[in-house]
Amino acid sequence: MLIVPEREIADLMTRQAAFDAVEQVFAAMASGDAYNFPVVREAIGHEDALYGFKGGFDRAGLTLGLKAGGYWPNNLEKRGLINHQSTVFLFDPDTGKPSAMVGGNLLTALRTAAASSVSIKHLARRDAKVIGMIGAGHQAAFQLRAALEQRACEKVIGWNYHPEMLPNIEKVANEAGVPFQAVELDEMTEADVIISITSAFAPSLMANHVSPGTHIACMGTDTKGKQEVEAALLAKASVFTDEIAQSVSIGEAQHAVAEGLIQESDVAQLGAVINGTDPGRISDNQITLFDGTGVGLQDLAVAASVVDLAVRKGVAIEVDF
Ligand code: NAD
């Protein structure tokens, strides 16, 4: 069995490798070659932690395994550790033997940024120039960095519930040589692409904050009850997702479906657009919305990719198991 520790991931994994792995696995999901197992997520009654498993099997990429981990809210204050903790375990699909154990913390941010980036590649207008950010936390910086590589961006605008955090994303824009402007939510109408990545339980982005032709990637809502955008916005948009079952139960679409504004059949898989079986964006006036809920197969895909890189660079630790 191979081990790739968390400390090695930053030097191994590139945004491009994460993008390629996620694009391929979304395509495999839509063609029926890969499927996610039901998610387990439990409040374990210790340290206020939420712990769970996200797994799946990709028959095309021959990737089998799970990501185990969750959220320990006291880690940072009590122990100087990050609150989100995860580890990916890969298994040989021919034998069931464990093949790799991979640090999953940085990989989670990279695969989540890759997902919205894949959605921008396939759904945003080609001439998109202004990226709007809702959120300025840990994930937001990764999201913006990846999004800036998809279109010739001339300006980043940003809003955050905690405005003092906006310098986190201003720094990323400036490093890419793109000017940044803090805005009010009603000024988001200037954006051609909007990414929302917050832990909110009530909508910030309303339907009237979005112009025709915009692509929105809703990345923060991954749990029942969370919500970042007004449900009416989904009714105005063409809605795409990583995994339809998750979108309507724990993703952004849960609210629009519960309110009867859209039906499950209105939500399409981004993978179908990648495969060319769904036309995706069909007009410059259409609002497209990607509901990125985060699936186990994304984790397995980037973990498998990083194991290959670690082997090639000779930094994977081999253990007899
Ligand atoms: P973080 O704690 O670093 O940042 C949280 C962000 O949410 C900040 O911008 C904060 O200002 C904002 N926020 C907090 N309360 C808010 C409120 N009431 N209204 C509006 N905004 C509010 O967290 P993070 O690591 O950046 O994660 C952000 C979200 O992304 C979390 O909900 C997390 O669960 C989710 N996430 C999703 C995926 C996925 O695959 N879809 C993957 C990883 C994380």
Side-chain angles (χ1 to χ4, degrees), residues 28-52:
M29 281 162 58
S31 60
D33 286 326
Y35 72 108
N36 292 287
F37 307 154
V39 174
V40 173
R41 198 161 166 89
E42 294 286 319
I44 59 171
H46 179 74
E47 288 286 350
D48 299 323
L50 282 176
Y51 176 69

Side-chain angles (χ1 to χ4, degrees), residues 301-315:
V302 290
S305 174
V306 94
V307 170
D308 286 347
L309 291 164
V311 169
R312 254 183 272 157
K313 289 200 170 174
V315 296

Side-chain angles (χ1 to χ4, degrees), residues 107-145:
L107 284 184
T108 298
L110 290 171
R111 65 77 146 148
T112 307
S116 66
S117 202
V118 169
S119 84
I120 293 167
K121 173 182 167 186
H122 291 280
L123 294 171
R125 292 193 333 268
R126 295 237 66 84
D127 64 351
K129 289 185 177 56
V130 179
I131 298 180
M133 293 296 300
I134 312 270
H138 180 70
Q139 304 292 335
F142 287 90
Q143 292 283 322
L144 179 57
R145 206 168 283 129

Side-chain angles (χ1 to χ4, degrees), residues 168-192:
N168 291 341
I169 52 171
E170 178 169 15
K171 184 168 170 270
V172 174
N174 292 344
E175 278 168 4
V178 179
F180 175 84
Q181 186 190 343
V183 295
E184 296 302 324
L185 281 165
D186 58 7
E187 295 173 278
M188 272 292 154
T189 48
E190 194 188 343
D192 304 308

Side-chain angles (χ1 to χ4, degrees), residues 84 108 111-112 135-140 159-162 165 197-202 204 219-220 222 226 292-294 298:
H84 286 275
T108 298
R111 65 77 146 148
T112 307
H138 180 70
Q139 304 292 335
W159 177 89
N160 195 44
Y161 187 73
H162 303 103
M165 294 170 77
I197 182 88
T198 69
S199 48
F201 280 80
S204 304
M219 303 305 297
D222 55 1
K226 281 189 184 172
T293 64
Q298 276 172 267

